[in-house]
Amino acid sequence: MILLQTLKNSQITDHEILQLMIPQEKVAHVQSNHPLDHALLVLIKSGYTAIPVLDPEYKVQGQVGKAQILDSILGMERIEMDRLHDYSVSDVMTEKVPRMKQDETFGKALMLSINHPFVCIEDEDRSFIGIMTRRSILALIHRHLEKI
Ligand code: 2BA
């Protein structure tokens, strides 16, 4: 209980953020104007269920996942793969993506990770700097638990 209260109120320091965060250059992502076939390729190659959608200035626009893409090309009797090129990411993406600034509390990251597998981290200019995954959040809690 005390541990959870401490974790909840603690600011994530820049140092800890760097340890927890997957930096922007290692995050698979797409842009909203990319064709859907490209997005599906990135998702399949990376192995992830969903990835962030960024604009050309590296601002977070939302997220897109395999399920949304496949749903958009689901015909009455088959998956119509040839329709993949007719759509772009903006047609199927959701703007609902959890985000926070690097100096916000760990409590916020923990709360967001209950319902979301990853949280986008932004700097003061709202530029995307990376993601914090549920795995890294759980790993931090585990490290703290081991200490007591
Ligand atoms: P999912 O793709 O649904 O992945 C769920 C969990 O499965 C991941 O949890 C990880 O433990 C494992 N996993 C999936 N694909 C993997 C891979 N290619 N290599 C190693 N492990 C893999 P988390 O690590 O907590 O990630 C949570 C979510 O964050 C992922 O959900 C994905 O949506 C996103 N994500 C993680 N790393 C990413 C990256 N480098 N680029 C883009 N998105 C990433």
Short mmCIF file of all heavy atoms in Angstrom, two decimals, residues 22 26-29 46-52 117-118 131-136, ligand 1:
data_model
loop_
_atom_site.label_atom_id
_atom_site.label_comp_id
_atom_site.label_asym_id
_atom_site.label_seq_id
_atom_site.Cartn_x
_atom_site.Cartn_y
_atom_site.Cartn_z
N ILE A 22 11.03 3.46 -24.75
CA ILE A 22 11.62 3.04 -26.02
C ILE A 22 11.74 4.31 -26.85
O ILE A 22 10.73 4.97 -27.13
CB ILE A 22 10.73 2.01 -26.73
CG1 ILE A 22 10.57 0.75 -25.88
CG2 ILE A 22 11.29 1.65 -28.10
CD1 ILE A 22 9.66 -0.30 -26.46
N LYS A 26 13.45 3.92 -32.25
CA LYS A 26 13.26 2.47 -32.22
C LYS A 26 11.79 2.07 -32.24
O LYS A 26 11.46 0.89 -32.13
CB LYS A 26 13.92 1.89 -30.97
CG LYS A 26 15.44 1.97 -31.01
CD LYS A 26 16.06 1.13 -29.93
CE LYS A 26 17.57 1.15 -30.07
NZ LYS A 26 18.26 0.95 -28.81
N VAL A 27 10.90 3.07 -32.33
CA VAL A 27 9.46 2.77 -32.33
C VAL A 27 8.97 2.66 -33.77
O VAL A 27 9.15 3.58 -34.58
CB VAL A 27 8.67 3.89 -31.59
CG1 VAL A 27 7.17 3.61 -31.66
CG2 VAL A 27 9.12 3.98 -30.14
N ALA A 28 8.36 1.51 -34.09
CA ALA A 28 7.74 1.34 -35.41
C ALA A 28 6.55 2.29 -35.47
O ALA A 28 5.76 2.35 -34.51
CB ALA A 28 7.29 -0.10 -35.58
N HIS A 29 6.43 3.06 -36.55
CA HIS A 29 5.32 4.00 -36.65
C HIS A 29 4.98 4.23 -38.12
O HIS A 29 5.75 3.84 -39.01
CB HIS A 29 5.65 5.32 -35.97
CG HIS A 29 6.76 6.07 -36.64
ND1 HIS A 29 8.09 5.85 -36.33
CD2 HIS A 29 6.74 6.98 -37.63
CE1 HIS A 29 8.83 6.63 -37.10
NE2 HIS A 29 8.04 7.32 -37.90
N SER A 46 7.02 -5.73 -37.90
CA SER A 46 7.44 -5.41 -36.54
C SER A 46 6.89 -6.42 -35.54
O SER A 46 7.46 -6.61 -34.47
CB SER A 46 6.99 -3.99 -36.16
OG SER A 46 5.59 -3.92 -36.08
N GLY A 47 5.77 -7.04 -35.88
CA GLY A 47 5.17 -8.01 -34.96
C GLY A 47 4.21 -7.39 -33.96
O GLY A 47 3.63 -8.10 -33.14
N TYR A 48 4.02 -6.05 -33.99
CA TYR A 48 3.16 -5.41 -32.99
C TYR A 48 1.70 -5.39 -33.43
O TYR A 48 1.39 -5.38 -34.62
CB TYR A 48 3.66 -3.99 -32.70
CG TYR A 48 5.04 -4.00 -32.10
CD1 TYR A 48 6.13 -3.46 -32.79
CD2 TYR A 48 5.27 -4.60 -30.87
CE1 TYR A 48 7.41 -3.52 -32.25
CE2 TYR A 48 6.53 -4.66 -30.33
CZ TYR A 48 7.60 -4.12 -31.01
OH TYR A 48 8.85 -4.19 -30.48
N THR A 49 0.83 -5.34 -32.43
CA THR A 49 -0.61 -5.31 -32.68
C THR A 49 -1.04 -3.93 -33.15
O THR A 49 -1.91 -3.80 -34.02
CB THR A 49 -1.37 -5.65 -31.37
OG1 THR A 49 -0.80 -6.83 -30.83
CG2 THR A 49 -2.84 -5.87 -31.62
N ALA A 50 -0.46 -2.90 -32.54
CA ALA A 50 -0.81 -1.51 -32.88
C ALA A 50 0.43 -0.64 -32.70
O ALA A 50 1.29 -0.93 -31.85
CB ALA A 50 -1.93 -1.02 -31.97
N ILE A 51 0.51 0.43 -33.49
CA ILE A 51 1.67 1.32 -33.43
C ILE A 51 1.20 2.78 -33.55
O ILE A 51 0.10 3.05 -34.05
CB ILE A 51 2.69 1.01 -34.57
CG1 ILE A 51 2.00 1.01 -35.95
CG2 ILE A 51 3.41 -0.30 -34.32
CD1 ILE A 51 2.96 0.82 -37.12
N PRO A 52 2.03 3.74 -33.11
CA PRO A 52 1.63 5.14 -33.18
C PRO A 52 1.57 5.66 -34.62
O PRO A 52 2.30 5.19 -35.50
CB PRO A 52 2.74 5.87 -32.41
CG PRO A 52 3.45 4.83 -31.63
CD PRO A 52 3.32 3.56 -32.41
N PRO A 117 -1.79 -0.74 -23.88
CA PRO A 117 -0.50 -1.44 -23.83
C PRO A 117 0.71 -0.51 -23.94
O PRO A 117 1.80 -0.86 -23.52
CB PRO A 117 -0.54 -2.39 -25.02
CG PRO A 117 -1.80 -2.12 -25.77
CD PRO A 117 -2.60 -1.11 -25.04
N PHE A 118 0.51 0.70 -24.49
CA PHE A 118 1.63 1.66 -24.52
C PHE A 118 1.12 3.08 -24.37
O PHE A 118 -0.04 3.38 -24.67
CB PHE A 118 2.48 1.51 -25.80
CG PHE A 118 1.79 1.93 -27.08
CD1 PHE A 118 1.86 3.24 -27.53
CD2 PHE A 118 1.08 1.00 -27.84
CE1 PHE A 118 1.22 3.62 -28.72
CE2 PHE A 118 0.44 1.36 -29.02
CZ PHE A 118 0.52 2.68 -29.46
N ILE A 131 7.86 5.76 -26.54
CA ILE A 131 6.71 5.15 -25.86
C ILE A 131 7.16 4.49 -24.57
O ILE A 131 8.31 4.07 -24.45
CB ILE A 131 5.98 4.09 -26.73
CG1 ILE A 131 6.91 2.96 -27.15
CG2 ILE A 131 5.30 4.73 -27.93
CD1 ILE A 131 6.18 1.78 -27.83
N MET A 132 6.24 4.44 -23.61
CA MET A 132 6.46 3.66 -22.42
C MET A 132 5.50 2.48 -22.52
O MET A 132 4.29 2.68 -22.73
CB MET A 132 6.15 4.49 -21.18
CG MET A 132 7.05 4.13 -20.02
SD MET A 132 6.58 4.98 -18.53
CE MET A 132 6.84 6.63 -18.97
N THR A 133 6.01 1.27 -22.44
CA THR A 133 5.14 0.11 -22.62
C THR A 133 4.68 -0.41 -21.27
O THR A 133 5.28 -0.14 -20.22
CB THR A 133 5.88 -1.02 -23.37
OG1 THR A 133 6.97 -1.44 -22.56
CG2 THR A 133 6.35 -0.57 -24.72
N ARG A 134 3.61 -1.20 -21.31
CA ARG A 134 3.10 -1.84 -20.09
C ARG A 134 4.22 -2.68 -19.46
O ARG A 134 4.38 -2.72 -18.26
CB ARG A 134 1.91 -2.71 -20.48
CG ARG A 134 1.06 -3.12 -19.33
CD ARG A 134 -0.11 -3.92 -19.84
NE ARG A 134 -1.27 -3.12 -20.18
CZ ARG A 134 -2.25 -3.54 -20.97
NH1 ARG A 134 -2.22 -4.73 -21.50
NH2 ARG A 134 -3.30 -2.77 -21.22
N ARG A 135 5.01 -3.32 -20.33
CA ARG A 135 6.11 -4.16 -19.84
C ARG A 135 7.11 -3.34 -19.00
O ARG A 135 7.52 -3.76 -17.92
CB ARG A 135 6.84 -4.77 -21.04
CG ARG A 135 8.02 -5.66 -20.68
CD ARG A 135 9.08 -5.61 -21.77
NE ARG A 135 8.67 -6.20 -23.02
CZ ARG A 135 9.11 -7.37 -23.49
NH1 ARG A 135 9.98 -8.06 -22.80
NH2 ARG A 135 8.72 -7.81 -24.65
N SER A 136 7.49 -2.13 -19.50
CA SER A 136 8.49 -1.33 -18.77
C SER A 136 7.90 -0.80 -17.46
O SER A 136 8.62 -0.65 -16.47
CB SER A 136 9.02 -0.21 -19.65
OG SER A 136 8.00 0.68 -19.98
P1 2BA B 1 1.49 -5.71 -28.58
O1 2BA B 1 2.04 -5.64 -29.96
O2 2BA B 1 0.10 -6.21 -28.43
O3 2BA B 1 2.45 -6.63 -27.75
C1 2BA B 1 2.06 -7.16 -26.47
C2 2BA B 1 3.28 -7.71 -25.78
O4 2BA B 1 3.78 -8.81 -26.55
C3 2BA B 1 4.41 -6.70 -25.70
O5 2BA B 1 4.23 -5.91 -24.54
C4 2BA B 1 5.63 -7.63 -25.63
O6 2BA B 1 5.74 -8.16 -24.32
C5 2BA B 1 5.23 -8.77 -26.56
N1 2BA B 1 5.70 -8.49 -27.94
C6 2BA B 1 4.89 -8.25 -28.98
N2 2BA B 1 5.64 -8.06 -30.11
C7 2BA B 1 6.92 -8.17 -29.77
C8 2BA B 1 8.17 -8.07 -30.49
N3 2BA B 1 8.24 -7.81 -31.82
N4 2BA B 1 9.32 -8.24 -29.78
C9 2BA B 1 9.28 -8.50 -28.45
N5 2BA B 1 8.12 -8.59 -27.71
C10 2BA B 1 6.96 -8.45 -28.37
P2 2BA B 1 4.99 -4.54 -24.36
O7 2BA B 1 6.45 -4.69 -24.59
O8 2BA B 1 4.55 -4.01 -23.03
O9 2BA B 1 4.41 -3.60 -25.52
C11 2BA B 1 3.12 -3.06 -25.42
C12 2BA B 1 2.67 -2.51 -26.73
O10 2BA B 1 3.48 -1.41 -27.11
C13 2BA B 1 2.72 -3.49 -27.90
O11 2BA B 1 1.55 -4.28 -27.86
C14 2BA B 1 2.81 -2.54 -29.08
O12 2BA B 1 1.51 -2.06 -29.42
C15 2BA B 1 3.61 -1.36 -28.53
N6 2BA B 1 5.05 -1.44 -28.84
C16 2BA B 1 6.01 -2.00 -28.07
N7 2BA B 1 7.25 -1.83 -28.61
C17 2BA B 1 7.05 -1.14 -29.76
C18 2BA B 1 7.93 -0.65 -30.80
N8 2BA B 1 9.28 -0.82 -30.76
N9 2BA B 1 7.38 0.01 -31.85
C19 2BA B 1 6.03 0.22 -31.91
N10 2BA B 1 5.16 -0.21 -30.97
C20 2BA B 1 5.65 -0.88 -29.90
#
